[in-house]
Amino acid sequence: MSENWATLRELLLPVSGRRGRQVESALRAAIRDGRLAPGVRLPSSRDLATQLGVARGTVTAAYGQLVAEGYLVSRRGAGTSVAASVGPVDAPGADAAPGPPAWRFDLRPGLPALAAFPRAEWVSATRAALAGLPDEALGYPDPGGLAELRAELAGYLGRVRAVTATPDDVVITHGGAEALSVLAPVLLARGLPDIAVEEPGHPGQADLLRANGLRPVPVQVDSAGIVVDALAATPCRAVVVTAAHQFPLGVALRPDRRHALLAWARERDAVIIEDDYDAEHRYDRPALRAMQAMAPAHVAYLGSVSKTLAPALRLGWLVLPPALRADTVERKRLTDLGCSPLPQAAFARLLRTGGYDRHLRRTRTMYRHRRDALLAAVASSLPTWQPVGVAAGLHVVLRLPAGTDDAAVQRRLAGRGINTPALSTYTRGGTGAPYPGLVLGYAATTPDRLRAAVAEIAAALTA
């Protein structure tokens, strides 16, 4: 075999004896056990013969036999591929994992309108960003994030959220979940094992913090936001709050509560994690400045594109107090060596050219129309159900009449193919939900579908 051996399309195929029948049997076995999946294109007969050290006619004969048996397909100009109709033989007794439910109406909160993702602008930004990246940027990345994106985010967040930050204060993460995952061990190492979480709140958030070594402590939320007196009664010196638009209740943290929370942080030398998960979406009022702007030494600001562009991008950020940044970057380095520079560079370009602002302007209008359509349908068909919270975000809580078992309502609607999470499912054994309710996401559903969903809900509950 030549010392300069090379192949166009490599295929590792264990063959004993390297004769025609062995090549044919090895290919058939690889297809049957799933090593060669349906649709996989195989090397040309000349290429595979070179790899195996056999005559080309041997491979041609093996391919021809397997085409005749239906294992392979061969088309002029397209080469030879594994047939789409074949696959691995299932092991005896193996059961396929159940997939997610096929909902007729999926009104779970948390998803933006994925069909509104600016595909053309993202492709253009990605192409331009890649062309502009120096070769060295394609090596192992800065674990703190691409310098270009950190600079753009510091400017953007200062402009739209009044965040006080330099590029050095920003750390890029794989979404908000990883931001908490890398920050939690840093807090633990600094002697902050207990962390307060809002009650009701996102159940996955408490699970994530617990999985990373912290002890979540639920603290009551009322119509004015987190109850600071209840927080002060706990041993916690860290808290996660959704101050701009509490999840799930949808209330904004009242100004006096904001000041009380910041005073608590100063008195206890505590850390506030401000989860600004959907503050970009507001429909009847200007934005409030982030709490981070009022006490940058005590507030870690968290954001992402999951509610504005798409969760699949896995792009988030932390704006950290100086005392926490070095340890958090080191934790990020040990976790995954840093985020890919390519989507970071594309997002930086979208910020710099105004594409992100244009996208938000379009989606704010869309989401307001969808929210209005949902609430008008509820007012007409379910007049005893009352919306709660400010006109913002991607979801709304509908307060049910007193004494209603909201979990039972959720189960009944699920039986009709309607996914409407109960407010009680967002509690973790603290004070519980303040009232029965359903948490309905509207951003990912068209107005006509929202009206149809409300009609189905009303029919299901009166049947």
Side-chain angles (χ1 to χ4, degrees):
M1 186 175 292
S2 169
E3 293 182 359
N4 295 320
W5 176 84
T7 180
L8 177 63
R9 185 177 294 272
E10 188 173 0
L11 173 60
L12 182 60
L13 191 67
V15 176
S16 60
R18 301 184 184 278
R19 293 294 181 263
R21 288 297 181 185
Q22 284 79 13
V23 173
E24 177 189 315
S25 296
L27 282 168
R28 186 184 292 107
I31 295 169
R32 287 174 60 84
D33 67 19
R35 285 179 288 126
L36 290 177
V40 168
R41 185 174 175 182
L42 301 184
S44 68
S45 57
R46 185 188 303 276
D47 196 1
L48 185 57
T50 299
Q51 294 179 49
L52 298 178
V54 300
R56 182 182 180 188
T58 299
V59 176
T60 301
Y63 278 3
Q65 178 61 32
L66 294 175
V67 167
E69 294 178 11
Y71 286 99
L72 300 178
V73 292
S74 182
R75 297 184 180 89
R76 183 178 297 276
T80 302
S81 303
V82 178
S85 59
V86 301
V89 177
D90 293 335
D95 294 323
W103 300 106
R104 293 172 58 218
F105 298 98
D106 190 355
L107 301 183
R108 59 186 160 136
L111 278 178
L114 301 179
F117 181 80
R119 292 173 184 255
E121 285 185 279
W122 186 260
V123 168
S124 176
T126 299
R127 184 179 294 114
L130 182 59
L133 279 177
D135 292 344
E136 54 268 24
L138 300 179
Y140 288 105
D142 179 346
L146 188 70
E148 178 187 3
L149 177 56
R150 290 190 283 109
E152 291 294 337
L153 274 172
Y156 171 78
L157 295 173
R159 171 168 62 88
V160 303
R161 301 294 291 124
V163 168
T164 301
T166 68
D168 286 342
D169 297 323
V170 180
V171 175
I172 307 301
T173 64
H174 287 116
E178 196 203 30
L180 289 175
S181 295
V182 297
L183 188 53
V186 174
L187 297 178
L188 185 63
R190 289 174 172 264
L192 282 67
D194 301 300
I195 185 165
V197 293
E198 295 171 322
E199 171 84 351
H202 198 302
Q205 189 179 80
D207 294 341
L208 185 151
L209 294 168
R210 189 179 297 107
N212 283 278
L214 298 183
R215 290 192 294 266
V217 178
V219 174
Q220 178 188 1
V221 172
D222 62 17
S223 61
I226 193 167
V227 179
V228 181
D229 289 343
L231 172 62
T234 72
C236 299
R237 290 178 51 226
V239 60
V240 183
V241 294
T242 49
H245 187 232
Q246 199 275 334
F247 186 86
L249 293 184
V251 300
L253 188 60
R254 205 169 59 195
D256 61 313
R257 292 274 180 92
R258 286 177 168 241
H259 289 289
L261 182 57
L262 293 170
W264 167 86
R266 294 187 185 100
E267 291 167 5
R268 292 211 180 173
D269 191 24
V271 176
I272 299 169
I273 301 174
E274 182 179 10
D275 184 355
D276 213 26
Y277 71 103
D278 72 352
E280 294 88 351
H281 301 112
R282 55 196 183 278
Y283 313 120
D284 66 354
R285 66 195 65 208
L288 291 174
R289 64 174 174 165
M291 291 184 64
Q292 188 272 352
M294 304 166 72
H298 290 280
V299 179
Y301 177 90
L302 187 160
S304 81
V305 302
S306 294
K307 305 297 185 289
T308 55
L309 288 171
L313 291 179
R314 306 316 303 143
L315 265 178
W317 50 85
L318 284 164
V319 179
L320 293 165
L324 297 178
R325 189 182 189 279
D327 289 346
T328 304
V329 171
E330 176 62 7
R331 173 56 57 177
K332 173 68 175 168
R333 183 187 71 82
L334 294 173
T335 300
D336 60 12
L337 300 181
C339 299
S340 168
L342 300 183
Q344 291 186 72
F347 184 45
R349 185 171 182 83
L350 210 62
L351 286 168
R352 185 169 61 254
T353 60
Y356 191 57
D357 287 288
R358 290 191 295 272
H359 173 71
L360 289 176
R361 187 162 57 248
R362 290 191 296 267
T363 54
R364 281 192 195 108
T365 301
M366 176 193 301
Y367 296 157
R368 175 161 191 168
H369 289 160
R370 293 183 177 189
R371 186 178 191 274
D372 290 347
L374 173 65
L375 295 186
V378 168
S380 175
S381 300
L382 299 161
T384 60
W385 292 19
Q386 298 300 312
V388 176
V390 299
L394 309 180
H395 74 277
V396 64
V397 170
L398 296 177
R399 182 171 182 170
L400 306 184
T404 302
D405 182 345
D406 59 5
V409 173
Q410 175 184 342
R411 291 191 297 271
R412 185 169 182 178
L413 295 178
R416 298 283 290 263
I418 308 169
N419 188 16
T420 55
L423 182 59
S424 58
T425 63
Y426 293 89
T427 63
R428 291 168 296 276
T431 57
Y435 40 76
L438 296 180
V439 186
L440 270 58
Y442 51 77
T445 307
T446 64
D448 285 345
R449 291 283 293 168
L450 288 168
R451 286 186 280 266
V454 172
E456 286 285 335
I457 292 171
L461 298 180
T462 56

